[in-house]
Amino acid sequence: MKIVLEHLTKRFPGRGKNAPDVIAVNDFTFEIPDGKLVGLLGPSGCGKSTVLNLISGLHKVSDGKVYFDGEDVTKLPAEHRGVGIVFQNYALYPHLTVEKNIMFPMENFKGDKRLSKQEMQSRALEAAKLVQIDALMDRKPAELSGGQQQRVAIARALVKRPRVLLMDEPLSNLDARLRLQTREEIRRIQRETKITTVFVTHDQEEAMSISDMIVVMKDGVLQQIGKPQQVYDSPANLFVAKFLGTPPINVFHGRICGGMLYAGQDAILTAKGVPDQEVYAAVRPEGFILDEQGPLRCMLQGVEVMGRDVSVVAGHPALESTQLRAIIPSTSRVDDEAEAVRFSIVPEKTLLFAKDTELRIDAQLA
Ligand code: ATP
């Protein structure tokens, strides 16, 4: 099912006398195509959960509209929207078995939607098989691992055959290994069921790895929507560029002068088609090549061996932060006793942003 959000806004009244309203979601317009998995991404407090709650109907909108397949559902109560929700704290009933937990939402079906016990059991088993917990139907939640509990929560959301599946930080309570495994599971389940799914996370790697599309938010405002690779390669602004990628992008106070891009005093690339101006020059960690003749001269601070790659930590006077981090193949030799290290810069891994607006500047770098 296609979801359209149109000028969606949510204001919460400020607490205390004369406290201004909190605008949790500000004039949000975007479209979630049918059958896709969309990752809503942004720092804590940027309004991700609020967007999810507006889609589900748990919150009333202050302004704007929500459409499901062209139908205006803005005023439709949550229970009639046909959404399945999975929360971070699985919210299972501790005294019920896995089977009873999964069956629970179907007990409330009314009128012509009412199901016989046999039908409920069969649907519960179908959902349990999908998330691969069908062998654990008689256990209670306390007898399950965190990952298994989360699967029960997903099965419970799926059993209603929702038109939309909404997941709010579903992996946050899992340890690193299980997180990785469960996110792949979510991807598989979504592919199999083809249910339009919105997934909230503050973990950019998680969102990038499983989403068809990511939506990046900041302070309630939509920053960019696109395929993960496209947003990584062509971020709309400096915030998006900094938010995506580990280690993060390295930002220099730069300058375009006579067709050259400077980071401080170092002329690092040629830049065509951009008038002379101050810029932010941002280089992805994989955009540095060790080169004795390279134009970027840095003070070496450390070399961290990470197995497949080596991380070179260095300082530079034009850096916006205290140090840069370059990722180079472990086959490269770095003299970790050296005082300085020189790099040449990969133009395709370098992005320019305007100093005032922080919007990306299109430039032909070479
Ligand atoms: P997190 O990743 O920390 O869960 P989030 O991006 O999901 O954050 P929201 O929970 O949507 O952010 O909150 C967005 C903003 O709205 C925050 O500033 C928050 O304090 C505020 N907010 C959320 N719910 C309420 C409420 N019921 N009353 C007042 N303010 C609220």
Side-chain angles (χ1 to χ4, degrees):
M1 193 179 58
K2 183 168 94 173
I3 305 171
V4 174
L5 307 181
E6 213 175 76
H7 301 297
L8 205 60
T9 299
K10 179 66 183 176
R11 282 182 292 271
F12 291 109
R15 292 236 184 272
K17 231 179 170 187
N18 302 327
D21 286 356
V22 177
I23 305 180
V25 177
N26 195 349
D27 198 12
F28 223 73
T29 296
F30 78 91
E31 194 176 305
I32 301 172
D34 179 36
K36 298 289 183 202
L37 196 163
V38 173
L40 259 183
L41 184 62
S44 181
C46 72
K48 306 178 293 291
S49 300
T50 307
V51 170
L52 215 66
N53 291 334
L54 294 172
I55 298 175
S56 71
L58 291 177
H59 281 340
K60 283 195 178 126
V61 310
S62 304
D63 278 309
K65 299 270 186 204
V66 181
Y67 296 94
F68 284 2
D69 265 350
E71 179 198 351
D72 182 353
V73 297
T74 316
K75 296 219 160 70
L76 198 66
E79 61 273 25
H80 298 309
R81 290 197 188 186
V83 295
I85 311 175
V86 179
F87 295 105
Q88 172 181 348
N89 58 351
Y90 326 117
L92 301 177
Y93 297 106
H95 59 288
L96 298 182
T97 61
V98 166
E99 184 185 40
K100 290 263 159 56
N101 262 289
I102 300 175
M103 279 164 61
F104 193 82
M106 294 184 285
E107 310 267 3
N108 296 326
F109 285 178
K110 301 226 162 56
D112 57 354
K113 288 206 174 135
R114 242 184 125 87
L115 298 174
S116 70
K117 188 164 181 213
Q118 223 175 4
E119 284 169 318
M120 285 196 264
Q121 279 173 329
S122 136
R123 261 164 86 160
L125 185 63
E126 187 190 326
K129 278 188 175 154
L130 194 66
V131 299
Q132 296 171 349
I133 42 149
D134 46 310
L136 308 174
M137 293 296 246
D138 296 327
R139 293 214 198 159
K140 299 259 175 76
E143 297 159 349
L144 301 176
S145 71
Q148 288 165 339
Q149 290 184 39
Q150 188 55 296
R151 285 163 194 243
V152 178
I154 296 171
R156 190 180 52 182
L158 290 174
V159 84
K160 290 193 286 184
R161 306 217 169 124
R163 302 194 284 172
V164 179
L165 186 61
L166 303 174
M167 301 181 141
D168 197 346
E169 301 265 5
L171 308 177
S172 300
N173 288 354
L174 307 180
D175 68 35
R177 187 180 290 258
L178 206 53
R179 250 182 117 110
L180 214 67
Q181 189 190 337
T182 313
R183 80 183 189 201
E184 294 307 324
E185 283 287 288
I186 289 176
R187 176 81 258 201
R188 176 186 64 77
I189 293 162
Q190 196 277 331
R191 284 229 168 96
E192 278 182 42
T193 58
K194 298 192 179 64
I195 299 174
T196 309
T197 300
V198 187
F199 175 100
V200 162
T201 178
H202 59 270
D203 181 337
Q204 53 94 20
E205 196 190 322
E206 199 163 281
M208 301 263 294
S209 64
I210 64 167
S211 308
D212 295 308
M213 264 169 64
I214 55 170
V215 176
V216 186
M217 294 180 67
K218 180 193 172 199
D219 299 336
V221 178
L222 178 70
Q223 303 292 306
Q224 193 168 3
I225 304 178
K227 292 186 175 159
Q229 192 67 46
Q230 177 201 344
V231 179
Y232 180 83
D233 290 339
S234 309
N237 58 39
L238 188 59
F239 171 82
V240 176
K242 284 181 176 177
F243 198 74
L244 298 184
T246 31
I249 200 160
N250 302 286
V251 182
F252 296 88
H253 294 285
R255 183 168 43 98
I256 303 278
C257 189
M260 287 303 295
L261 169 62
Y262 290 85
Q265 300 301 314
D266 299 339
I268 55 173
L269 290 170
T270 60
K272 282 197 193 135
V274 197
D276 289 0
Q277 62 187 297
E278 302 278 312
V279 292
Y280 288 109
V283 185
R284 293 278 179 209
E286 63 274 25
F288 297 88
I289 298 169
L290 273 184
D291 178 356
E292 281 174 15
Q293 310 298 320
L296 189 79
R297 184 179 188 279
C298 301
M299 284 67 72
L300 188 62
Q301 294 179 351
V303 179
E304 295 167 5
V305 179
M306 302 186 298
R308 195 189 40 170
D309 302 314
V310 170
S311 173
V312 178
V313 184
H316 187 277
L319 270 177
E320 197 201 29
S321 54
T322 49
Q323 52 186 208
L324 67 78
R325 202 168 272 272
I327 303 291
I328 57 173
S330 60
T331 44
S332 311
R333 293 247 299 273
V334 197
D335 174 9
D336 54 9
E337 301 280 295
E339 208 169 283
V341 60
R342 280 184 172 274
F343 296 105
S344 52
I345 302 298
V346 182
E348 295 77 24
K349 293 289 175 187
T350 306
L351 301 161
L352 300 186
F353 299 92
K355 260 279 153 101
D356 45 359
T357 60
E358 300 193 354
L359 294 176
R360 189 160 57 86
I361 303 171
D362 255 336
Q364 292 166 277
L365 299 174

